[in-house]
């Protein structure tokens, strides 16, 4: 009898990519693979990568170099690089890292088991080339396989992802992106928008709920532009929120332009939809937004914020901001700080512009590119303002009593970590048996970003038992 092969998947990047990592695990498990928790225990290692910023790619390249060492101990080990960076770099990655056996982009996963079999059999025609090793000696690269076709039909309908959390589940409803924000690599590595069928999505959510998981997050690059026949995203959200057993629904990332009255109404009306919205602004200046091709103005962004807050008064808002987009002047950067002060986001994910080869922004005049020291100081200033606002908001929330879904044990022994409906992280003393259940927690203090609290209910152990009674 042959031993079960084991795969280890290590994922970088956004929730969509994490969800893709679970998909690859699911596909391999369905073909008889076991899933390893450590690369050392695996026969197949897949590094599932992100290409959004240069920094993210450098980190992953370092990691892929590190994993090469495992091949010395296990010559049969198959090492693959998947995801957005694999798609972006393609054959170039195969050349730069000759010890990598498989390079596969985000639309290739359906054929992952076959690709691994081919690599193992050496049934690969491409890249049978000899490259000079750095020492000057010649080194034959093994047969490498690259799978890089973007498939406009592939939305992985019918395939099951392996869900690792008993508490919350990601549900991808859309792949790819139809926008062309001028800084962004995503449309090039993930192709055009592809939406999944609503009934299949609802069936999947029902299955998740039947397994005892009560929180789902719907995923897409512009999740609220999802549409299928006469189904709008708002209608889908309402239906997901009404699936028996589902207590919390979130979604990310919406595009501000597709935040409709109908969607905000559903958010306000459906008890399961959380009072939380991630609304990426990217910048607070019209000239910058125009050159980013975000297709909204500061004024229309603020109108969307106002519309959402009017419908959901206790809404928690987060955003993404890029500083030092090519051509951004100091005054234009100050406008972004002004937007932060006007909206007062509960949380902000802040980035320095990173040049991505092939994107339109790279063709802006070179002399407009912002020097790194200037970009760095803008980033630090933005973080200072965003953190200051966050700390003020959170200090004002100390004393509230909130429903917390317990996610895991905190670093502090005897403490648990969970999230409020408004997506705020709370640590409080409690027993591991409560992971997956809902507790009523008084927020007693804040570090600025997260909270400490005390449970004020008796608590009921275990997610699965708690759900059954609801
Ligand atoms: N689809 C999502 C964004 C996905 S990428 C949306 O439109 O909201 C996540 C974030 O990374 C973006 O919101 C943006 O703030 C940032 N980002 C994307 N490309 C970038 C680049 N080239 N340099 C710096 N940050 C970038
Ligand atoms: Fe990138 Fe813009 Fe698409 Fe978001 S909407 S993934 S930022 S191109
Ligand atoms: Fe990165 Fe790809 Fe997500 S580029 S942010 S992993 S879609």
């Amino acid at each position: 009898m042959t031993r079960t092969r084991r795969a280890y998947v290590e994922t970088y990047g956004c929730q969509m990519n994490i969800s893709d990592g679970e998909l690859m695990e699911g596909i391999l498990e369905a073909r008889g693979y076991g899933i390893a928790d450590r690369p050392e225990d695996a026969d197949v290692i897949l590094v599932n990568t992100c290409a959004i910023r240069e920094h993210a790619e450098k980190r992953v390249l370092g990691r892929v170099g590190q994993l090469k060492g495992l091949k010395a101990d296990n010559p049969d080990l198959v090492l693959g690089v998947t995801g957005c960076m694999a798609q972006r770099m393609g054959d170039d990655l195969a050349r730069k890292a000759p010890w990598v056996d498989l390079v596969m982009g985000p639309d290739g996963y359906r054929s992952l088991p076959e690709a691994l079999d081919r690599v193992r059999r050496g049934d690969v025609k491409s890249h049978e080339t000899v490259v000079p090793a750095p020492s000057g000696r010649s080194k034959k690269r093994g047969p490498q396989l690259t799978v890089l076709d973007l498939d406009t039909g592939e939305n992985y309908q019918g395939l099951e992802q392996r869900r690792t959390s008993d508490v919350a589940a990601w549900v991808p409803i859309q792949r790819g992106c139809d926008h062309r924000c001028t800084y962004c690599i995503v449309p090039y590595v993930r192709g055009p928008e592809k939406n999944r069928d609503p009934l299949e999505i609802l069936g999947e959510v029902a299955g998740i709920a039947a397994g005892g998981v009560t929180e789902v997050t719907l995923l897409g690059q512009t999740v609220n532009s999802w549409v299928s026949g006469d189904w709008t995203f708002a209608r889908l959200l309402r239906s997901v929120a009404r699936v028996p057993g589902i207590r919390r629904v979130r979604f990310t990332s919406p595009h501000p332009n597709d935040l409709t009255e109908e969607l905000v109404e559903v958010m306000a009306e459906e008890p399961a939809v959380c009072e939380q919205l991630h609304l990426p602004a990217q910048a607070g200046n019209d000239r910058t937004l125009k050159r980013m091709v975000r297709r909204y103005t500061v004024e229309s962004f603020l109108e969307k914020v106002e519309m959402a807050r009017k419908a959901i008064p206790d809404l928690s808002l987060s955003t993404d901001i890029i500083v030092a987009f090519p051509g951004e002047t100091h005054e234009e950067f100050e406008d972004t700080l002004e937007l932060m002060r006007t909206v007062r986001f509960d949380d902000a994910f802040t980035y320095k512009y990173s040049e991505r080869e092939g994107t339109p922004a790279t063709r802006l005049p070179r002399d407009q590119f912002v020097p790194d020291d200037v970009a760095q100081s803008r980033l630090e200033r933005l973080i200072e303002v965003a953190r200051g606002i966050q700390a003020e908001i959170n200090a004002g929330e100390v004393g509230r009593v909130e429903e917390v879904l317990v996610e895991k044990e905190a670093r502090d022994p005897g403490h648990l970590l969970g999230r409020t409906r408004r997506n705020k992280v709370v640590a409080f003393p409690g027993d591991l048996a409560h992971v997956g259940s809902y507790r009523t927690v008084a927020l007693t203090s804040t570090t600025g970003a997260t909270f400490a609290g005390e449970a004020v209910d008796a608590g009921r152990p275990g997610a699965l038992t708690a759900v059954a009674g609801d």
Side-chain angles (χ1 to χ4, degrees), residues 292-336:
M292 288 177 161
V293 190
R294 285 294 289 178
R295 303 172 202 276
Y296 51 81
T297 59
V298 175
E299 192 187 348
S300 63
F301 182 86
L302 289 173
E303 279 167 15
K304 298 284 178 168
V305 168
E306 198 179 329
M307 173 178 79
R309 281 188 166 153
K310 208 164 133 207
I312 311 141
D314 201 26
L315 186 69
S316 165
L317 267 181
S318 56
T319 196
D320 291 345
I321 302 283
I322 299 174
V323 300
F325 182 74
E328 183 188 70
T329 65
H330 187 71
E331 290 68 35
E332 288 165 351
F333 166 65
E334 290 286 333
D335 288 346
T336 295

Side-chain angles (χ1 to χ4, degrees), residues 13-14 17 49-52 84 186 190 221:
C14 63
N17 222 35
T49 61
C50 171
I52 202 81
C84 298
V186 171
R190 292 208 163 239
Q221 289 302 341

Side-chain angles (χ1 to χ4, degrees), residues 78-362:
V78 175
L79 179 58
V81 179
T82 63
C84 298
M85 186 180 92
Q87 184 71 37
R88 192 185 79 74
M89 292 183 67
D91 292 334
D92 202 28
L93 177 66
R95 266 189 293 276
K96 279 193 178 130
W99 61 92
V100 167
D101 304 293
L102 173 68
V103 177
M104 181 177 267
D107 280 350
Y109 305 147
R110 199 178 279 276
S111 70
L112 181 60
E114 289 75 21
L116 292 173
D117 287 346
R118 282 183 61 195
V119 167
R120 239 179 250 113
R121 288 198 308 267
D123 172 18
V124 179
K125 305 280 179 298
S126 58
H127 306 304
E128 285 271 13
T129 48
V130 176
V131 288
S135 62
R137 277 177 293 125
S138 257
K139 175 173 169 284
K140 186 175 181 299
R141 289 196 280 130
Q144 293 175 296
L145 178 61
T146 53
V147 181
L148 300 170
D149 295 330
L150 283 176
D151 180 347
T152 51
E154 181 59 280
N155 61 10
Y156 294 113
Q157 202 124 309
L159 293 176
E160 276 284 322
Q161 72 197 80
R162 173 179 180 258
R163 301 189 189 277
T164 42
S165 166
D166 294 335
V167 180
W170 309 113
V171 180
I173 65 166
Q174 171 191 70
R175 299 181 68 83
C177 179
D178 276 348
H179 287 253
R180 288 286 180 279
C181 304
T182 51
Y183 49 81
C184 185
I185 193 77
V186 171
Y188 307 93
V189 292
R190 292 208 163 239
E193 181 181 311
K194 297 166 267 188
N195 293 318
R196 283 181 63 198
D197 176 71
L199 299 182
E200 170 145 342
I201 296 166
L202 288 168
E204 187 173 327
V205 173
I208 289 167
V213 171
T214 60
E215 176 174 311
V216 291
T217 302
L218 306 180
L219 294 181
Q221 289 302 341
T222 54
V223 69
N224 55 337
S225 69
W226 178 94
V227 61
S228 181
D230 56 355
W231 283 71
T232 59
F233 177 71
R235 180 175 168 198
L236 178 70
L237 185 66
R238 195 188 288 284
S239 304
V240 168
R242 291 183 178 180
V243 170
I246 292 298
R247 272 177 71 161
R248 286 184 173 186
V249 184
R250 307 183 193 276
F251 56 91
T252 201
S253 282
H255 192 285
N257 287 4
D258 292 316
L259 191 75
T260 59
E261 291 266 4
E262 186 200 8
L263 173 52
V264 162
E265 249 170 57
V266 169
M267 291 179 70
E269 286 168 11
E270 290 301 321
V273 180
C274 291
E275 297 76 26
Q276 178 228 333
L277 186 63
H278 181 67
L279 205 56
Q282 311 299 359
N285 171 272
D286 283 345
R287 197 181 75 95
T288 308
L289 287 172
K290 190 154 193 198
R291 289 178 317 114
M292 288 177 161
V293 190
R294 285 294 289 178
R295 303 172 202 276
Y296 51 81
T297 59
V298 175
E299 192 187 348
S300 63
F301 182 86
L302 289 173
E303 279 167 15
K304 298 284 178 168
V305 168
E306 198 179 329
M307 173 178 79
R309 281 188 166 153
K310 208 164 133 207
I312 311 141
D314 201 26
L315 186 69
S316 165
L317 267 181
S318 56
T319 196
D320 291 345
I321 302 283
I322 299 174
V323 300
F325 182 74
E328 183 188 70
T329 65
H330 187 71
E331 290 68 35
E332 288 165 351
F333 166 65
E334 290 286 333
D335 288 346
T336 295
L337 295 182
E338 195 49 38
L339 177 74
M340 303 299 285
R341 295 190 192 102
T342 306
V343 177
R344 296 179 64 76
F345 293 100
D346 293 80
D347 204 358
F349 299 86
T350 52
Y351 309 103
K352 263 193 294 190
Y353 169 74
S354 171
E355 188 174 355
R356 306 282 64 208
E357 201 185 320
T359 56
T362 59

